[in-house]
Amino acid sequence: MGRAARRGADTLSMPLLAGRLLSAVVLVALAVSGVVFLLGRGDAPRVARLAPIATAAVRPGRSVRDGGGVRPGAHARPAASGRATGPADRLSTAQLAGQRIIYAYAGLRPPSSLLAAIRDGEAAGVIFFANNIVSSAQLRGVIAGLQRAARAAPGHRPLLMLTDQEGGEVRRLPGAPAASERQIGAGPRAAARAGAAGKAAGQTLRAAGVNVNLAPVLDVYRKAGDFIDQYARSYSSRPSVVADLGAHFIDAQQRTGVAATAKHFPGLGPAATVQNTDLRPVTLTTAAATLRVTDELPYRAAISAGVKLVMLSWARYPALDARRPAGLSPAVIGGELRRRLHFTGVTITDGIEAGALAGFGATGPRAVLAAGAGADLILCAAPDPSANTPALGVAARDAIAAAIVRGSLNRTAARAAAGRVLALRASRF
Ligand SMILES: *[C@@H]1O[C@H](CO)[C@@H](O)[C@H](O)[C@H]1NC(C)=O
């Protein structure tokens, strides 16, 4: 949960005096908990583990006893270079690569190859599609089994468990939020309803053990029925409205303990109905100035609201990068998202088997390009969920590991990416 988001909500909903009183109380509470921690009695009662992102176990230079964190001493030594150590420094190359991989499978039971990758510490998380889900209770059982396997991994942390619970037609779990982004954007009290949808999405997911929602969609649609409007997935054609409603969704959802993902950066709003990146290469010739003032605008609000992840689009934007789709582009990820918009959270690709990447080789080479461009997480899933298999994740992991070994992927940058993923896995918000 970003502090900025709390501040924003406080100023919206409270008189100034009450806000200041609250701040004072929070400061006192922080000071007291800091003293307790320094006295070595920081073992506060553990919060019930509803959501698997539930253990704030990472404290520099300190081991943890509750089984939720890294190995004792993993942070304690300075690196030979003198720079501060990170949680990724002691991982094997395969584990370092595995921290970038979101696996997928078909059917109701996770295959043994997925469990093996998890137990070996070579997985960041798992994405669930409709064909993996019968009910909330069934998914909850599957997730409990996967998290059990993760606890057997060296230096383990809870796995990221992802799905698309956008609202309206795009919902993988039965239950809220029923309203689509379009319905929320077009109706009365839109900001309150966007917040209610975010909270409801968080509650639905948390009850099943899912801790990352691949929502909200922040695409600013252009024409009725275009690619992102056809399934009512855009709040508005006005960027300021998308920004405001997206931020309310993110803030409310993340308060439930489920991370939000703003997507699809830098924007699929300009895409025509047939420009579906799952199926074919898509080129959006929008001018850079328009992309920045229209399509990227909602990301400023999302980042201020503390959004944990941003998903990259697979469209190509020649105004930003002449050759590569956004998710393979250092100019888009490093330039637009990190340097211009100052996003410091976790970046994730769209599904690596997308038709949009037809010109970029097999799964392994695609994953290496994405990782090299700055994508922290590679979503190793197919456009047709019945084609999903952990073998996609294994191919991506092995290709990334080999690229690190031969030096075509920079190990320092790989450690930084894995560090961001590990921090997310250890966080509660
Ligand atoms: C490797 O990545 C680090 C961190 O991003 C960067 O500072 C360094 O310059 C890179 N090294 C090479 C050889 O590109």
Side-chain angles (χ1 to χ4, degrees), residues 12 64 85 96 102 141 188 199 285 319 330 378:
L12 283 177
V64 289
T85 50
L96 195 57
I102 302 297
K199 181 177 179 183
T285 55
I378 318 292

Side-chain angles (χ1 to χ4, degrees), residues 367-394:
V368 171
L369 284 174
D376 296 328
L377 290 172
I378 318 292
L379 194 57
C380 295
D384 170 7
S386 71
N388 278 330
T389 158
L392 297 173
V394 168

